[in-house]
């Protein structure tokens, strides 16, 4: 299927939101045996945002969603549905999307969550794009939102340095004009054999949380960092090449890469393998760390608001995350 010949979805507006509270590397180095230098050199992170006690995922999602709607000039009542990508929902159920829908005051509109952890935004984008392409919907709000800080073991220096909280959103609409730009190829992949590379053992039906929280039930992130790193570089490159091939374009037609922000060294390796200079990557990991499903829409919004991303440009989105999951997509900006 050649997406260029079909009805496309277009990104009508973007928005993002991050909690006010900044936690620097220095702050973390007062709690665990690490240093600002180690964290900066090994990850590219300088600081991250951490939600305050009263803030949760749906609050961040709501703020990002409202901003995206504002930039798109779309009223909440114009939406056909809301999809929230998150691995850190407010509650086990109902979905965070339902909580956002309730806060936006648009009863009746469908709302559901997608969980593909750090690849969640790519998965949600593909679902939303497919619904618009098939003619089932015209206007959707797609949000990536996470409060990772509540699932971090703040005594584990190998993971607590990495994650942060935030939300990003896009309003997707129907293009109306064939071949006029918008969301092109989006490819998704997963390999569940590697489910334990990055996981949270407790809190699900298999290992419910008990009052004492024995180690096997801990509701905090466990990660095999080096294996994850290697797999991320390989799969990101493969899926980007897959998208470029499907689109029939070369790297020169990619003006901006908006990647999941997991580690600056992953992005440097990807840049080298693809032959796309790092200057064409939108990078904000230094200020936000890894915000999982929120990272791509947050970076996208930043580059749209500061006019780096402009109409007519080619924008490549790419993510890797727990599952393991990965995926990439190409958007001709409109
Ligand atoms: N400060 C100081 N030393 C540390 C720290 C720290 N914060 N963390 C680990 N170390 C030490 C280790 O103990 C080890 O010491 P040793 O050699 O004495 O045993 C040494 O540093 C090297 O450890 P590695 O784990 O090999 O370090 P590495 O260079 O691989 O960096 C990191 C670790 C940053 C976690 C990296 O592996 C990484 O970024 N991995 C990928 C993460 C990722 O992509 N996640 C994406 C998905 S996340 C999701 O889906 C939720």
């Amino acid at each position: 299927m050649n997406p260029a010949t079909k009805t496309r979805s277009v990104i009508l507006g973007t928005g993002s939101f991050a909690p006010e509270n900044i936690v620097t590397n220095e702050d973390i180095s007062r709690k665990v045996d690490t240093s600002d230098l180690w964290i900066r050199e090994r990850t590219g992170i300088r600081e991250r945002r951490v939600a305050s006690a009263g803030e949760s995922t749906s609050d961040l999602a709501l703020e990002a969603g409202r901003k995206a709607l504002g930039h798109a000039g779309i009223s909440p009542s114009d939406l056909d549905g809301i999809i929230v990508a998150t691995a850190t929902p407010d509650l086990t159920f109902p979905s965070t999307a339902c909580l956002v829908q309730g806060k936006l005051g648009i009863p009746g509109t469908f709302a559901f969550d997608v969980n593909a952890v750090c690849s969640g935004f790519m998965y949600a984008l593909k679902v939303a794009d497919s619904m618009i392409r098939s003619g089932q919907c015209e206007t959707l709000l797609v949000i990536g939102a996470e409060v990772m800080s509540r699932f971090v073991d703040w005594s584990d220096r190998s993971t607590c340095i990495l994650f942060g909280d935030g939300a990003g959103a896009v309003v997707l609409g129907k293009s109306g004009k064939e071949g006029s730009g918008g969301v092109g190829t989006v490819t998704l992949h997963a390999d569940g054999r590697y489910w334990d590379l990055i996981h949270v053992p407790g809190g699900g039906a298999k290992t419910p949380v008990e009052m004492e929280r024995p180690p096997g039930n801990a509701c905090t992130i466990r990660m095999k960092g080096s294996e994850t790193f290697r797999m991320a570089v390989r799969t990101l490159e493969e899926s980007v090449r897959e998208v470029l091939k499907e689109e029939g374009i070369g790297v020169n037609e990619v003006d901006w890469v908006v990647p999941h922000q997991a580690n600056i060294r992953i992005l440097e390796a990807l840049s080298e393998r693809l032959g796309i200079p790092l200057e064409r990557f939108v990078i904000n990991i230094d200020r936000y760390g890894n915000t999982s499903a929120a990272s791509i829409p947050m970076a996208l919004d930043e580059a749209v608001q500061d006019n780096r991303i402009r109409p007519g440009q080619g924008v490549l989105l790419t993510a890797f995350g727990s599952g393991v999951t990965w995926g990439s997509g190409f958007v001709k900006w409109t």
Side-chain angles (χ1 to χ4, degrees), residues 33-35 38-39 42-43 117-118 148 157-158 161-163 198 221 223 225-226 228-229 232 260 262-263 265-266 290 292 320-322:
D33 183 15
T34 189
S35 67
W38 195 97
I39 301 170
R42 296 294 183 106
T43 71
V117 199
C118 298
M148 299 299 282
R157 69 176 182 175
S158 67
I161 58 166
L162 297 173
F163 298 99
I198 320 151
I221 298 163
M223 188 173 75
S226 311
T228 304
F229 189 103
H260 170 51
N263 186 317
R265 292 185 296 129
I266 291 176
N290 179 346
S292 187
F320 175 89
S322 168

Side-chain angles (χ1 to χ4, degrees), residues 83-98:
I83 306 176
V84 174
T86 187
T88 56
D90 281 19
L91 307 167
T92 302
F93 62 78
S95 69
T96 300
C98 280

Side-chain angles (χ1 to χ4, degrees), residues 252-272:
N252 287 341
E253 282 151 278
V254 176
D255 296 287
W256 294 104
V257 180
V258 184
H260 170 51
Q261 320 271 319
N263 186 317
I264 190 68
R265 292 185 296 129
I266 291 176
L267 303 184
E268 286 166 354
L270 187 64
S271 154
E272 198 178 313

Side-chain angles (χ1 to χ4, degrees), residues 9-293:
S9 68
V10 288
I11 296 178
L12 301 174
T14 62
S16 59
F17 181 79
E20 266 181 34
N21 180 30
I22 296 173
V23 173
T24 65
N25 292 346
E26 292 292 350
D27 295 332
I28 293 182
S29 68
R30 283 193 282 275
K31 291 183 186 163
V32 292
D33 183 15
T34 189
S35 67
D36 174 50
L37 186 65
W38 195 97
I39 301 170
R40 274 192 287 112
E41 285 186 352
R42 296 294 183 106
T43 71
I45 300 166
R46 289 174 183 274
E47 60 188 41
R48 71 286 294 142
R49 302 295 181 95
V50 171
S52 63
E55 277 176 317
S56 197
T57 304
S58 66
D59 301 312
L60 310 189
L62 180 68
E63 292 303 325
R66 280 193 172 132
K67 288 188 185 182
L69 287 163
H71 288 138
I74 295 282
S75 145
S77 59
D78 294 331
L79 291 173
D80 295 315
I82 300 174
I83 306 176
V84 174
T86 187
T88 56
D90 281 19
L91 307 167
T92 302
F93 62 78
S95 69
T96 300
C98 280
L99 303 179
V100 173
Q101 190 247 38
K103 290 175 188 184
L104 280 175
I106 44 172
T109 307
F110 74 76
F112 63 92
D113 286 1
V114 166
N115 180 356
V117 199
C118 298
S119 309
F121 183 76
M122 297 310 304
Y123 273 67
L125 182 68
K126 174 86 175 184
V127 172
D129 176 53
S130 303
M131 292 180 103
I132 289 174
R133 279 175 189 256
S134 68
Q136 294 175 67
C137 302
E138 293 204 348
T139 315
L140 296 173
L141 179 59
V142 183
I143 306 173
E146 305 277 14
V147 176
M148 299 299 282
S149 60
R150 305 257 157 80
F151 298 86
V152 163
D153 176 351
W154 289 99
S155 67
D156 174 11
R157 69 176 182 175
S158 67
T159 53
C160 76
I161 58 166
L162 297 173
F163 298 99
D165 304 336
V170 301
V171 177
L172 270 196
K174 198 173 148 190
S175 91
K177 278 187 268 168
E178 238 180 52
S180 60
V183 179
T185 305
V186 180
T187 63
L188 303 178
H189 297 282
D191 189 342
R193 291 173 301 174
Y194 297 98
W195 67 271
D196 65 342
L197 268 193
I198 320 151
H199 72 288
V200 174
K206 187 179 159 98
T207 51
V209 180
E210 289 158 20
M211 293 305 281
E212 296 297 320
R213 288 201 182 181
N217 289 22
C219 284
T220 49
I221 298 163
R222 303 282 179 269
M223 188 173 75
K224 297 175 185 170
S226 311
E227 280 172 80
T228 304
F229 189 103
R230 286 194 296 275
M231 194 176 271
V233 172
R234 180 173 58 76
T235 54
L236 288 170
E237 182 194 3
E238 281 172 11
S239 72
V240 167
R241 292 200 185 284
E242 186 183 7
V243 166
L244 295 179
K245 191 174 171 201
E246 182 75 19
E247 285 285 318
I249 60 173
V251 292
N252 287 341
E253 282 151 278
V254 176
D255 296 287
W256 294 104
V257 180
V258 184
H260 170 51
Q261 320 271 319
N263 186 317
I264 190 68
R265 292 185 296 129
I266 291 176
L267 303 184
E268 286 166 354
L270 187 64
S271 154
E272 198 178 313
R273 285 173 178 228
L274 292 172
I276 302 178
L278 210 56
E279 295 72 46
R280 282 172 27 213
F281 281 55
V282 177
I283 295 172
N284 62 9
I285 190 172
D286 51 322
R287 283 165 289 130
Y288 298 108
N290 179 346
T291 57
S292 187

